[in-house]
Amino acid sequence: MLDKIGIVGIKILVALYYKEMYIRELIRTLNVSSASVYRVLPNLLELGLVVFERRDTRKYVRLTVKGRRVAEFLSKAEKITIQVESRMLNDLLKSSQ
């Protein structure tokens, strides 16, 4: 599944885990090109991870139940990775003194 969505797809899922957003807001929040977001969104939809909802003039993207579970897992994995990297960096800095 991750090979179909790539890094941008992972970023989208994690961002939507914290807040439902319209597409332009998502692009600005992630600081990625609109082309990369528009390229990944159909894959996320096909996998059943997101749905689109039009409100007024904006098209919102929100997670499905399945998407929320995947995003929660990815969010936890991201936090663990940051903690491990931080510890490794601290150990490296201590050993080089």
Side-chain angles (χ1 to χ4, degrees), residues 10 14 57 65 81 84 89 96:
I10 291 170
V14 172
T57 60
V65 172
T81 301
V84 168
L89 182 58
S96 65

Side-chain angles (χ1 to χ4, degrees), residues 15-74:
L16 292 174
Y17 179 70
Y18 294 102
K19 181 185 177 206
E20 184 178 296
M21 294 184 225
Y22 59 94
I23 294 176
R24 287 280 170 212
E25 180 182 18
L26 192 57
I27 291 164
R28 277 196 309 271
T29 299
L30 298 177
N31 196 28
V32 294
S33 73
S34 58
S36 61
V37 170
Y38 282 106
R39 194 174 18 253
V40 171
L41 284 175
N43 295 337
L44 295 173
L45 183 66
E46 180 185 319
L47 291 166
L49 301 175
V50 299
V51 291
F52 300 110
E53 191 176 290
R54 186 165 291 284
R55 291 188 223 146
D56 299 321
T57 60
R58 294 183 173 162
K59 192 172 188 179
Y60 280 80
V61 186
R62 68 177 172 82
L63 296 174
T64 61
V65 172
K66 178 182 175 182
R68 182 156 286 289
R69 284 195 308 255
V70 171
E72 181 179 17
F73 172 81
L74 291 170

